[in-house]
Amino acid sequence: MPNSVPQPADLVHAMPDPALVVDAQGVVRLANEQAVDLLEADPTGRHLSATLRAPDVLEAVTAATSGAGSASVDYEIRVPVPRAFRAHISCLGQGKGALITLRDLTREQQIERMRADFVANASHELRTPLTALSGFLETIQGPAKSDPKAQEKFLGLMKSQAERMRRLIDDLLSLSRIEMNEHVRPSGEVDLAQVAHHVRDVLSGMAKDFGCEIAVETDGSVTIAGSRDELVQVLQNLAENALKYGSSGKLVEIIVRKNGEWADVSVRDHGPGIAEQHIPRLTERFYRVNVQDSRSRGGTGLGLAIVKHIVNRHRGKLVITSELGKGSTFLMRLPVKG
């Protein structure tokens, strides 16, 4: 029995990259599973412009269906997170439509950006502790050479600076990994109420040291699609910040609520609060309200940047509100698992 010849639809569905076939009028006639996932809707039967909002690509498709030949076009989308693509448009014959394949360039562009950012950030932020270490070494080798008490003091300071560099490098690596995968939405199943109780238990010792209580309030189980490890990291970063900078209020509240199609997770302290002009910049890399105070408490200036990118990866929103003298609230709003 002769082998059957694959049909065009079979070939399109077998392609590893997102692929679509449009007719001469620009209406999508075929779309593989990867294209449906990327566009977050099945475009079949609709005009390409209804789901792919990239004017340069649409112009190239129009030209290809008119017999202009094949073309490649790079384009970007900005929501829900920035992504970069290369569209290759192949003419199927004048008046017969076109085949469009989409290649995701996001990861390779982010790797290049990650390398550049890591070198720039590390060289800038590591200069201060390295300078301090160099100064302490000179003191131990010079004026404190025969002073055991001074040596012990400076060795302790050197240990503190080395620990600060370790935290900084750890946070830079963590931020780079998160940014590299920010365009890929996690698909695990996470109960945010369990995450909240876990973070409270992990930070109970730290809370005791600050003379502060961590209270958890939930609506019961609230499940979303996400990465448990990353959401633990977010909530732990926010709760640690609340303890470090708002423990004077003696209470840190972690509240988990289901709000329609969203899950709201907030961390609230009752400390001194944050001046309004600082709030829009809090999630920037290395932005600190008080540089000296942040460093003295072991901060790297990257914690809230990590929080922002993890929330973006989960297709959520981060809302920060604060009032001087009354405390601050960091609200993470995440889509509930369907």
Side-chain angles (χ1 to χ4, degrees):
M1 181 177 178
N3 293 330
S4 59
V5 177
Q7 298 300 305
D10 297 327
L11 296 176
V12 171
H13 287 294
M15 296 179 74
D17 290 326
L20 309 98
V21 174
V22 297
D23 62 19
Q25 286 71 45
V27 176
V28 179
R29 296 303 178 190
L30 285 173
N32 65 5
E33 185 178 345
Q34 291 84 343
V36 173
D37 289 343
L38 171 63
L39 300 172
E40 297 184 350
D42 187 350
T44 306
R46 302 165 66 188
H47 195 275
L48 183 63
S49 61
T51 52
L52 186 63
R53 293 173 177 83
D56 290 346
V57 176
L58 298 174
E59 186 177 328
V61 170
T62 300
T65 56
S66 301
S70 301
S72 291
V73 178
D74 290 350
Y75 72 99
E76 294 183 352
I77 59 174
R78 293 293 177 186
V79 292
V81 293
R83 297 180 70 176
F85 293 91
R86 175 166 295 151
H88 185 75
I89 301 100
S90 303
C91 178
L92 299 178
Q94 188 169 357
K96 294 183 178 180
L99 169 67
I100 305 161
T101 55
L102 305 175
R103 181 186 168 201
D104 194 339
L105 304 178
T106 310
R107 187 176 181 83
E108 57 192 71
Q109 289 188 3
Q110 285 177 332
I111 289 172
E112 290 303 315
R113 193 180 304 117
M114 177 187 72
R115 289 172 181 162
D117 287 348
F118 186 89
V119 171
N121 292 326
S123 62
H124 180 268
E125 288 294 319
L126 289 175
R127 187 175 293 117
T128 300
L130 283 172
T131 301
L133 281 170
S134 179
F136 296 147
L137 282 170
E138 289 176 6
T139 302
I140 290 174
Q141 291 173 333
K145 189 173 184 179
S146 302
D147 188 341
K149 287 186 178 179
Q151 288 182 359
E152 185 177 355
K153 173 187 174 183
F154 285 111
L155 285 170
L157 292 170
M158 290 169 66
K159 181 180 179 182
S160 174
Q161 292 297 326
E163 180 63 22
R164 180 183 162 203
M165 285 194 291
R166 184 194 64 77
R167 288 195 304 269
L168 178 61
I169 291 170
D170 286 347
D171 278 357
L172 279 170
L173 289 171
S174 178
L175 183 58
S176 295
R177 283 192 299 268
I178 292 161
E179 285 184 317
M180 192 162 58
N181 293 308
E182 190 173 354
H183 64 290
V184 182
R185 185 174 180 177
S187 58
E189 190 171 285
V190 184
D191 183 347
L192 292 173
Q194 289 183 355
V195 169
H197 284 99
H198 171 76
V199 168
R200 179 198 59 192
D201 294 342
V202 167
L203 297 181
S204 59
M206 183 180 182
K208 186 176 180 181
D209 292 341
F210 279 102
C212 188
E213 177 191 357
I214 300 178
V216 173
E217 186 179 341
T218 75
D219 279 343
S221 178
V222 179
T223 303
I224 69 162
S227 164
R228 186 180 187 279
D229 288 345
E230 289 184 2
L231 292 171
V232 166
Q233 186 177 9
V234 165
L235 209 50
Q236 191 162 322
N237 280 3
L238 294 177
E240 283 183 358
N241 280 353
L243 290 172
K244 289 176 183 176
Y245 305 107
S247 59
S248 59
K250 302 300 179 185
L251 176 66
V252 170
E253 299 168 275
I254 302 176
I255 302 169
V256 181
R257 291 275 185 268
K258 187 172 180 182
N259 182 10
E261 297 301 313
W262 297 92
D264 288 350
V265 184
S266 59
V267 176
R268 180 185 178 192
D269 68 65
H270 300 267
I274 304 165
E276 186 178 358
Q277 68 267 26
H278 295 294
I279 292 176
R281 301 192 61 191
L282 288 177
T283 58
E284 293 179 13
R285 290 185 182 206
F286 303 115
Y287 185 81
R288 300 173 175 95
V289 174
N290 183 316
V291 175
Q292 204 58 41
D293 185 42
S294 173
R295 287 178 175 168
S296 69
R297 296 173 189 266
T300 63
L302 292 171
L304 289 177
I306 290 171
V307 166
K308 178 186 73 173
H309 286 288
I310 291 177
V311 172
N312 285 347
R313 175 163 139 80
H314 285 75
R315 306 300 187 259
K317 307 170 187 175
L318 181 67
V319 181
I320 305 171
T321 55
S322 188
E323 187 175 349
L324 289 176
K326 294 188 177 181
S328 306
T329 299
F330 290 76
L331 169 66
M332 175 172 57
R333 177 161 286 172
L334 302 168
V336 174
K337 184 175 175 61

